[in-house]
Amino acid sequence: MRTTIRGALAALALLPALALGAPAASAASPSPSASASGTPAPATKAGTSFLTAVNLSPHQDANVAASTGDYLYWAFGAAEGQTPTIALTVNLAPSADRHGPQTWSVEVFDGLRRRQACTAGTQNATAEQAATALTLDCTLREVRTWAEPWSGDPLPGTYYVRLSVSDVPQPDLGLASSVRLHVTAKGDADNAQPEGGELKAPLVPPAGGGASTAKAAAPVTPEEHWYTGWFSGWNSRWYWTIGGGFLAALAGVLGYNLTRHPHGRRPGHYGAVPSQGSHPTGSHTGSDRP
């Protein structure tokens, strides 16, 4: 009995040491999702439209399994002074399953969904039936700090990448393929052009990981005037309605008083009416009585 009690007390004494050692062991073991270089893991999905585009964090790639014929969308952020470059590698289905060459295209749009021109790279590539892969790339113009609305120059904000098949045999639609996307950017804000201007807000502020490098604009305080309170508030229309009705009634009364004829008087051109007690001058007819 004493031996059992002593064993139980010894086990209880070891519990604090085990509790302290457990966190240390868990902290020493590395997380399976952590990366030694700090680079985020590649995205494994792609959107099917601008609204569902997958946002990519800075230095994040995409490695997606797709079907031939699908539209694939990704979004990334670009700041002023940067020159983004998009590189894609498409691994095609086995040549035995394909029935002819395939042509793939890459397009880049800014936050206003305006298509941006590529200054270098291959936007359209055709793979013969025997080919196993093809590569596409696009280098955009340098992102400007500001621009005229009509110019269409690239501005800080979110950019969308769309990958699609522009020409493919009908039987090849739906074949399995895989796509790898890599986005790089050269330059920074120090060499941004032009100088002397600044964009108030990036095009399409980020929603998630996309456009995290773009500079957000500070909130603008509305300018106050002496008449600002007259046109604001939920009950301001009632004040204006009552005031307008009162002014309309006053104008009607004044207009009536100015345009009506005076009471008991007629215009002079109609002539005066003689009084009943007056008689015309001259001789009187009839007998004269003393």
Side-chain angles (χ1 to χ4, degrees):
M1 184 66 179
R2 293 179 178 178
T3 305
T4 304
I5 295 175
R6 290 177 181 176
L9 293 176
L12 292 175
L14 291 175
L15 287 178
L18 293 175
L20 293 175
S26 61
S29 60
S31 174
S33 60
S35 175
S37 60
T39 303
T44 58
K45 295 182 179 180
T48 57
S49 65
F50 287 102
L51 298 178
T52 59
V54 174
N55 291 292
L56 300 178
S57 301
H59 309 292
Q60 184 182 20
D61 297 338
N63 195 355
V64 180
S67 298
T68 303
D70 291 347
Y71 282 87
L72 307 179
Y73 288 81
W74 295 275
F76 67 94
E80 60 270 16
Q82 293 183 346
T83 303
T85 299
I86 300 94
L88 296 109
T89 301
V90 181
N91 296 315
L92 304 173
S95 58
D97 298 336
R98 304 202 308 269
H99 297 79
Q102 297 182 4
T103 302
W104 292 67
S105 301
V106 59
E107 299 169 282
V108 182
F109 302 84
D110 63 5
L112 299 180
R113 300 181 186 178
R114 301 177 301 182
R115 183 176 177 178
Q116 293 294 321
C118 297
T119 59
T122 304
Q123 289 187 260
N124 302 281
T126 301
E128 300 298 331
Q129 184 174 356
T132 59
L134 59 84
T135 58
L136 299 165
D137 57 335
C138 173
T139 300
L140 298 178
R141 293 173 292 171
E142 180 182 320
V143 179
R144 300 165 63 91
T145 57
W146 63 278
E148 298 293 342
W150 49 263
S151 64
D153 293 335
L155 295 171
T158 302
Y159 285 81
Y160 298 93
V161 179
R162 180 171 69 185
L163 179 65
S164 61
V165 179
S166 57
D167 187 15
V168 62
Q170 187 71 21
D172 293 351
L173 293 176
L175 293 179
S177 59
S178 62
V179 179
R180 182 175 181 82
L181 171 68
H182 180 66
V183 180
T184 58
K186 296 181 180 180
D188 50 23
D190 293 337
N191 59 349
Q193 297 291 333
E195 298 180 356
E198 185 178 0
L199 190 67
K200 290 185 178 180
L203 301 183
V204 183
S212 58
T213 60
K215 181 172 58 178
V220 179
T221 304
E223 187 177 357
E224 297 289 340
H225 300 280
W226 62 271
Y227 54 83
T228 301
W230 292 10
F231 300 94
S232 62
W234 66 271
N235 55 355
S236 60
R237 60 177 182 176
W238 295 109
Y239 298 152
W240 283 99
T241 302
I242 295 174
F246 175 77
L247 293 177
L250 181 60
V253 173
L254 293 177
Y256 175 76
N257 289 331
L258 292 175
T259 58
R260 70 182 182 87
H261 297 296
H263 292 289
R265 301 179 64 182
R266 294 184 180 180
H269 64 273
Y270 289 105
V273 178
S275 60
Q276 298 295 331
S278 62
H279 294 279
T281 59
S283 60
H284 295 277
T285 58
S287 57
D288 291 332
R289 295 182 182 181

